[in-house]
Amino acid sequence: MRNLPRRSFVKALNVLAAGGVFLQEVQAQAKEKKSAIKPIEGSWFEFQHHNEPEGKYWDQTLMNFSSEQWDQKIREISEAGIRYLVLLDIAIHGKSFYPSSLLPMHKMKSPDPLETILSAADRHGVNFFVSNGFFGDWTNPVLLMKDPGINSLRIKAMNEVAERYASHKSFYGWYYPNETGIDGHYQDYFLDYVNLSTAEARKITPGAKTLIAPYGTRNIKSDDKFVRQLEKLDVDFIAYQDEIGVEKTRVEESAGFFSRLSDLHKKAARSKLWADVEIFRFEGKVYHSALIPASPERVIKQLEAVSPYVEKIFIYQYTGILNRPSTGVFAGHPDSTGLYEQLAKKGFLKA
């Protein structure tokens, strides 16, 4: 610039200054985006997997967990920084996971698995969403939501569970596990199922929170009808499945779908928007083979994609798909420790 005329020199300085401001803005945006990447705050949790082929790597191990081992696993999860667990089911295949007057009980080493995990969660600072299913054939969710006899059994089970276990400080709320596949909009029977469940939950456990996790995220229509349905849904949190593990959505599509959901939820101004991020892949055929950990690179991209749009990130699931490398209560696929290490390294979990 030594030979530039004065006017040109001043102009060049202005350009450099503007460029410096622009660079600062870009750096600030990058920093903001990085800080906006949310940690994993919650996970689904189970005693036995509902789909037997998918639970190949952990079902037998969990069946033989003692009460002390369940306590250690809850402690491990808490130390990972996870503060919420969603119990997938309190019954499956016609048997319960707690001593019930309504159904026979699964034979497990722990005499009362539900009491065991809630007591452990009390000690280790974890909040549980307790399931109100599955009663009947879990592969037929429409029947489970519409059948009067099953609805009656579900309500009785909620009352039984509330009477026995709601005094636990870790009993944070209810999870309604019968899923709906959104085809543009929610089905009316799903709205009825959710709202009837919440009405009962409010009656027997005042103040308890409520959660659902629908699929069909990519099919949602951004219209007034969907907003009105969100306004009608009496539920505190909706954790939409990102559907990447089940191979319905590509990672690069996810941000767009959750951005759209964010706009719809803001318009409805009712339920909080959460994400249910699938950190698994299938060992073979989708839905007919074992769940195994997805690659850390894929999972990290999934978490980054939804972070700007949701209040909290939950994963499906810690059980079987993640294990701390130093764990004394290993349950799951051998690659689960590697995924844990990489997520901890990136700050999504605590090391």
Side-chain angles (χ1 to χ4, degrees):
M1 292 183 194
R2 183 171 51 188
N3 297 321
L4 284 176
R6 177 180 176 84
R7 182 175 294 178
S8 298
F9 177 72
V10 172
K11 184 177 181 181
L13 285 177
N14 289 336
V15 170
L16 285 172
V21 171
F22 175 73
L23 180 60
Q24 289 175 350
E25 289 177 351
V26 170
Q27 290 172 335
Q29 289 172 1
K31 184 177 181 181
E32 183 179 353
K33 183 177 180 182
K34 185 176 181 180
S35 65
I37 298 174
K38 294 179 172 64
I40 296 166
E41 293 190 59
S43 172
W44 265 255
F45 185 90
E46 64 189 15
F47 299 118
Q48 292 285 282
H49 199 67
H50 55 295
N51 182 325
E52 187 175 345
E54 292 180 0
K56 167 185 171 181
Y57 287 102
W58 62 85
D59 269 353
Q60 191 61 45
T61 301
L62 296 183
M63 186 175 291
N64 293 315
F65 261 17
S66 66
S67 297
E68 292 75 18
Q69 287 173 309
W70 282 114
D71 181 272
Q72 290 177 52
K73 182 55 73 174
I74 296 292
R75 179 180 177 181
E76 174 188 321
I77 292 170
S78 173
E79 290 175 349
I82 291 174
R83 290 291 171 262
Y84 301 90
L85 287 174
V86 183
L87 183 60
L88 178 65
D89 49 37
I90 54 172
I92 193 70
H93 307 312
K95 294 182 180 180
S96 68
F97 290 111
Y98 68 97
S100 172
S101 64
L102 304 170
L103 294 173
M105 186 177 167
H106 285 280
K107 292 182 180 179
M108 301 185 72
K109 189 170 183 179
S110 176
D112 186 346
L114 184 53
E115 172 64 32
T116 296
I117 63 166
L118 290 173
S119 294
D122 290 345
R123 288 188 289 273
H124 302 303
V126 174
N127 295 311
F128 257 100
F129 288 93
V130 176
S131 174
N132 73 341
F134 292 105
F135 297 98
D137 180 5
W138 71 269
T139 65
N140 190 349
V142 177
L143 175 69
L144 301 193
M145 288 185 264
K146 296 175 73 173
D147 183 86
I150 294 174
N151 287 335
S152 176
L153 180 58
R154 182 187 306 113
I155 295 300
K156 289 177 182 177
M158 289 179 71
N159 278 264
E160 186 175 64
V161 166
E163 182 179 353
R164 296 185 185 184
Y165 305 105
S167 60
H168 283 278
K169 65 180 181 180
S170 59
F171 196 115
Y172 183 73
W174 294 94
Y175 166 59
Y176 312 146
N178 295 320
E179 298 172 348
T180 184
I182 302 170
D183 185 12
H185 305 95
Y186 290 107
Q187 297 93 342
D188 288 340
Y189 61 78
F190 179 74
L191 272 67
D192 292 340
Y193 156 71
V194 170
N195 290 348
L196 286 171
S197 294
T198 295
E200 191 66 25
R202 285 222 178 96
K203 184 171 70 174
I204 60 178
T205 49
K209 301 298 184 181
T210 54
L211 169 70
I212 58 173
Y215 65 94
T217 306
R218 66 178 300 113
N219 301 323
I220 290 168
K221 287 188 176 180
S222 299
D223 59 16
D224 291 340
K225 180 179 178 179
F226 194 83
V227 173
R228 289 195 301 271
Q229 288 187 320
L230 289 177
E231 292 170 345
K232 291 178 183 177
L233 264 176
D234 191 4
V235 67
D236 293 302
F237 312 115
I238 306 180
Y240 295 87
Q241 300 175 30
D242 74 351
E243 298 187 290
I244 291 169
V246 295
E247 301 181 16
K248 293 179 181 178
T249 293
R250 299 189 305 275
V251 175
E252 58 269 23
E253 296 177 299
S254 184
F257 297 146
F258 277 87
S259 174
R260 182 171 62 188
L261 280 167
S262 177
D263 292 339
L264 291 165
H265 273 256
K266 286 175 183 176
K267 289 179 181 178
R270 188 163 189 179
S271 304
K272 298 291 186 181
L273 172 61
W274 291 1
D276 174 3
V277 173
E278 297 175 346
I279 64 170
F280 62 85
R281 64 184 179 90
F282 285 89
E283 191 171 45
K285 188 177 180 181
V286 174
Y287 297 123
H288 297 281
S289 63
L291 300 184
I292 62 176
S295 71
E297 294 78 15
R298 194 201 85 183
V299 173
I300 289 167
K301 288 179 181 178
Q302 289 174 255
L303 298 169
E304 291 173 342
V306 301
S307 282
Y309 308 108
V310 301
E311 183 186 57
K312 294 185 187 299
I313 294 177
F314 280 35
I315 55 170
Y316 193 93
Q317 60 181 12
Y318 194 101
T319 311
I321 305 299
L322 290 173
N323 280 281
R324 188 170 59 191
S326 61
T327 185
V329 281
F330 187 94
H333 191 272
D335 292 348
S336 58
T337 55
L339 179 56
Y340 185 108
E341 284 182 310
Q342 291 303 310
L343 292 177
K345 184 178 180 181
K346 294 292 185 178
F348 293 106
L349 295 173
K350 291 182 180 178

